[in-house]
Every structure is written in structure tokens, then in C-alpha cells.
């Protein structure tokens, strides 16, 4: 996993694509919300947002 992150940061640095970082972080955050709230009582409230 660390190798992937290292490669991703290397790509962003080499190609000067730092504007992609907010998009990557938002997608990661939304994915984590879905993973951690999938089996909890909070799930119905999160699904109404989308």
C-alpha cells in the first residue's frame, strides 16, 4: 500500500498534477464513509444525502 502512495505522489510531483489531490482526497473520504457506516445505525441518514 505504501508503494502505491509513493508512486502516486511521485506521479503528481513529476507531472505537476497537484490539482488532482483534492479530488483524490474527497473520493477517499466518501469511500471511507460508505465503508464504515454501511452496517451501522447511521447508514440510513448518510444514504439520504446522496
Amino acid at each position: 500500500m505504501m508503494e502505491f502512495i509513493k508512486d502516486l505522489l511521485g506521479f503528481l510531483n513529476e507531472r505537476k498534477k497537484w490539482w488532482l489531490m483534492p479530488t483524490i482526497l474527497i473520493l477517499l473520504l466518501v469511500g471511507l464513509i460508505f465503508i464504515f457506516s454501511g452496517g451501522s445505525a447511521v447508514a440510513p441518514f448518510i444514504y439520504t444525502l446522496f
Side-chain angles (χ1 to χ4, degrees):
M1 185 65 178
M2 292 302 293
E3 185 68 29
F4 173 74
I5 295 171
K6 183 179 173 184
D7 287 341
L8 179 63
L9 291 175
F11 168 78
L12 294 174
N13 191 30
E14 183 176 328
R15 303 283 185 196
K16 306 297 186 235
K17 302 280 185 185
W18 289 110
W19 57 270
L20 286 172
M21 189 56 75
T23 306
I24 293 169
L25 291 176
I26 289 172
L27 287 173
L28 181 65
L29 180 65
V30 169
L32 288 173
I33 288 172
F34 278 132
I35 289 172
F36 288 122
S37 68
S40 71
V42 182
F45 300 109
I46 292 177
Y47 291 133
T48 59
L49 295 175
F50 299 101

